[in-house]
Amino acid sequence: MVADDLSPLLDHLEQSGISRSAAARVVEEVVAYFSESSEEFVRRRHRELQRAGVTNAQSLGQIARELAARRVPGPALSERQVRRMIYG
């Protein structure tokens, strides 16, 4: 369940016409998304890009750019650092 400190946000969303239970599910997903560590983000995006048929050469730079552009950005990483996160 969503933390009590998010109740004002849930109140706001509910007033806009979204059911409280639907708002709680969305807020939980958003909080989980932004709670992801840089390493978790890199690995998840790499899996997603692989499934989409993107080559490693393309995905490493893309992941580094996406990580830097996140709302709460992770550290600036080179393609080499991204590769090391994925493959160890």
Side-chain angles (χ1 to χ4, degrees):
M1 189 63 187
V2 177
D4 287 336
D5 59 341
L6 295 174
S7 287
L9 175 58
L10 294 177
D11 294 341
H12 173 75
L13 292 171
E14 191 172 22
Q15 290 171 2
S16 72
I18 300 170
S19 75
R20 192 167 191 90
S21 61
R25 284 192 304 274
V26 170
V27 169
E28 284 178 10
E29 283 294 319
V30 170
V31 168
Y33 179 82
F34 285 112
S35 296
E36 195 174 42
S37 73
S38 295
E39 190 168 333
E40 291 167 333
F41 173 80
V42 166
R43 289 182 175 162
R44 177 180 58 79
R45 282 300 288 147
H46 183 254
R47 284 190 308 272
E48 292 170 352
L49 292 170
Q50 276 186 320
R51 282 193 299 268
V54 177
T55 67
N56 277 346
Q58 295 169 323
S59 69
L60 299 176
Q62 180 175 338
I63 292 168
R65 288 188 301 277
E66 288 178 5
L67 184 62
R70 289 188 77 181
R71 180 77 173 133
V72 180
L77 299 175
S78 68
E79 288 183 22
R80 181 173 184 243
Q81 289 170 310
V82 171
R83 183 181 293 111
R84 288 174 71 191
M85 279 187 173
I86 295 167
Y87 298 110

